[in-house]
Amino acid sequence: MLVNNAGFGSAGRYEDIAAETDHSQLMVNVVALEGLTHRLIPGMVARGHGEVVNIASTAALQPAPYFATYAAGKAFVLNFSLALWSEYRDRGIKVLAVCPGPTETGFFDVVGTRDAAVTGSMGTAADVVQASLQALARNKGYIVPRRQNFAAAHLMPRRPRTLVARIAKRVTGVVADAAGSHAHQEFPDRPVRAAE
């Protein structure tokens, strides 16, 4: 089983976020995830079984102003995972994208503000793990743990995308100022330990 859980996010006005931070974010959240998956899938195919769990986010399901790079990267994770789920589901390999909402982890320490939890309600990592294992057992392609996250994630994307982006800006706007002072910092030289 491969669990791609390493990740971090940036939040704030796009122009205020250091280019190095967003580049590092994409390298961890997207490039490393794809690379590890690509290295391990052939062995799973040869054995005729295996499991891949990729941690995305509810941000993957809609544009997220002030989280532009983070949400776009997580959209990659979701779509990449669903494509592989479809490709391998009849070959003994399960692929699951997990799209949690705000979860009580070190993620918000890295972002620099707890205001990034725009719904205000935090889930626990244990709840995300339990929901993920249940979904994996049923070979689901993706899961959004917690009812309120599922409802919010699936209501908005059914609207025109530009409308969704404008509404999302109103919801996430509190992050722009809160993250401003943290945004200019480059990602520190330490192991990535923050998970969604």
Side-chain angles (χ1 to χ4, degrees):
M1 175 188 280
L2 169 63
V3 179
N4 282 309
N5 186 52
F8 73 95
S10 59
R13 291 182 179 86
Y14 181 70
E15 75 271 15
D16 291 338
I17 299 170
E20 297 82 9
T21 299
D22 275 350
H23 180 269
S24 294
Q25 181 181 178
L26 290 172
M27 293 301 289
V28 172
N29 294 2
V30 174
V31 176
L33 179 144
E34 185 280 331
L36 286 168
T37 304
H38 202 272
R39 290 201 77 168
L40 295 181
I41 285 280
M44 294 179 187
V45 170
R47 286 187 299 276
H49 65 87
E51 298 170 327
V52 178
V53 178
N54 293 326
I55 305 302
S57 168
T58 52
L61 295 156
Q62 68 267 321
Y66 309 115
F67 297 91
T69 302
Y70 176 75
K74 292 303 184 174
F76 170 89
V77 173
L78 175 59
N79 288 311
F80 173 70
S81 301
L82 285 171
L84 294 184
W85 170 79
S86 181
E87 189 172 336
Y88 291 108
R89 64 189 303 250
D90 297 325
R91 298 172 69 186
I93 300 168
K94 297 176 180 178
V95 180
L96 174 68
V98 182
C99 300
T103 304
E104 194 64 61
T105 67
F107 177 82
F108 298 98
D109 297 332
V110 175
V111 169
T113 177
R114 292 186 68 81
D115 288 339
V118 294
T119 63
S121 173
M122 293 265 202
T124 68
D127 290 339
V128 171
V129 170
Q130 181 179 12
S132 300
L133 291 175
Q134 290 170 351
L136 193 61
R138 296 191 321 240
N139 200 14
K140 294 186 86 170
Y142 80 105
I143 185 171
V144 180
R146 301 180 74 212
R147 284 189 192 114
Q148 68 265 34
N149 293 332
F150 184 89
H154 290 89
L155 176 63
M156 291 303 291
R158 302 207 186 323
R159 308 292 179 247
R161 290 194 161 296
T162 52
L163 175 63
V164 171
R166 290 196 329 257
I167 292 170
K169 180 181 177 189
R170 297 185 86 172
V171 173
T172 60
V174 299
V175 173
D177 294 323
S181 62
H182 189 73
H184 288 287
Q185 299 175 12
E186 289 187 27
F187 189 70
D189 282 336
R190 58 184 165 82
V192 176
R193 63 178 190 82
E196 283 71 1

